[in-house]
Amino acid sequence: MCGRYSITTAPEAIRRLFAVSDMINLEPRYNMAPMQRAPVIRERDGARHMDMLRWGLVPSWASDESRAASLINARSETVAEKPAFRDAYQKRRCLVPADGFYEWRKLGREKQPYRVSLAGDRPFAFAGLWERWSKAAEPVETFTLLTVEADPRIAHIHHRMPVMLAEDAAFEAWLVGEPPARASILRAYNGEDLIFAPVSRRVGNVRNDDAALLEPVPEPEAPVASDAAPPAPRQGSLF
């Protein structure tokens, strides 16, 4: 899954890359977290517009917002079938600007965060879906990120990764393309400019949102496997 990402690129560079007709004056975010508001790009009236939506999808038919935190990601393999996502997949797709995302690698009993990005911190977009929930006093607009099996280069960190789109042809295919074109881009990013590095565990705290989170730290040592045989289960144990 993808549970944190960064978007620190200058607004003018984002406007040029995504050909947005009306930009928001964005502040750098080094640790975007679920249930926070983030910029997304949607197609309306033949033009691309940027809006601020909350991360964590609330389907339009939901009785309340309680599942939002568990719907920050949608599996690409089943997105066209799952009730929570299928209508948005057909009608409400969006681009979510980013310049990196974080995944946690399990090392023994510890978890080490890594930042995955493109060389030079080149901005890109996640493939996203959005919804409008109208059962509150004010309509609530939310989004989720699509994920796929991770590229082999980063599969040792986590077995899933978000769908990364880096070129305008992919942006166009996702926003307004026909189903075959959309399906063709729902795959792991395999460009040679994909890079990753361990970063500070401070990123695990949503209160930390500063440039130091992007800085690489020394690669942690993997725990040494023990040659000792595991203890035999006690009588009556389920394992």
Side-chain angles (χ1 to χ4, degrees):
M1 64 176 292
C2 175
R4 301 289 176 82
Y5 68 92
S6 61
I7 174 61
T8 65
T9 307
E12 178 58 21
I14 294 175
R15 187 194 66 77
R16 292 196 304 268
L17 176 63
F18 296 106
V20 176
S21 60
D22 49 352
M23 267 296 300
I24 296 171
N25 188 22
L26 303 172
E27 295 292 328
R29 291 299 311 276
Y30 304 93
N31 194 12
M32 190 72 75
M35 305 305 290
Q36 295 179 349
R37 290 170 61 80
V40 305
I41 296 167
R42 301 182 285 188
E43 183 92 6
R44 291 196 303 271
D45 303 321
R48 295 176 185 171
H49 302 266
M50 179 174 283
D51 304 291
M52 297 294 288
L53 276 62
R54 195 180 72 194
W55 185 12
L57 198 77
V58 180
S60 60
W61 45 261
S63 59
D64 56 42
E65 302 178 67
S66 60
R67 293 188 62 199
S70 65
L71 296 179
I72 62 171
N73 293 161
R75 293 176 66 93
S76 296
E77 297 88 344
T78 57
V79 70
E81 307 162 8
K82 294 290 186 180
F85 307 121
R86 62 190 177 196
D87 195 49
Y89 176 67
Q90 294 298 327
K91 304 173 185 176
R92 290 179 288 279
R93 297 175 301 280
C94 61
L95 302 172
V96 182
D99 51 32
F101 65 93
Y102 303 98
E103 291 289 6
W104 276 255
R105 179 187 180 191
K106 190 172 182 180
L107 294 171
R109 296 184 179 182
E110 302 291 333
K111 287 187 176 181
Q112 172 62 50
Y114 284 72
R115 183 169 183 261
V116 182
S117 60
L118 302 183
D121 271 344
R122 183 162 68 97
F124 56 88
F126 299 124
L129 307 175
W130 69 275
E131 278 281 14
R132 179 181 291 113
W133 188 69
S134 302
K135 297 181 181 179
E138 295 289 337
V140 178
E141 292 191 327
T142 60
F143 72 95
T144 189
L145 307 180
L146 271 70
T147 67
V148 290
E149 289 290 328
D151 183 86
R153 289 167 293 177
I154 60 171
H156 65 290
I157 301 173
H158 196 277
H159 68 285
R160 304 286 296 181
M161 69 181 293
V163 177
M164 302 169 65
L165 309 177
E167 306 295 340
D168 190 67
F171 304 156
E172 188 74 4
W174 180 242
L175 287 175
V176 298
E178 294 298 319
R182 299 201 304 265
S184 70
I185 61 175
L186 295 182
R187 52 183 172 78
Y189 186 85
N190 60 5
E192 294 183 359
D193 55 347
L194 185 72
I195 60 175
F196 59 92
V199 293
S200 170
R201 292 179 181 175
R202 293 178 58 246
V203 74
N205 188 331
V206 298
R207 295 184 180 88
N208 297 324
D209 190 13
D210 55 79
L213 299 179
L214 276 56
E215 297 298 322
V217 300
E219 188 76 34
E221 293 185 7
V224 178
S226 172
D227 294 329
R234 293 179 298 172
Q235 187 175 2
S237 173
L238 295 177
F239 302 98

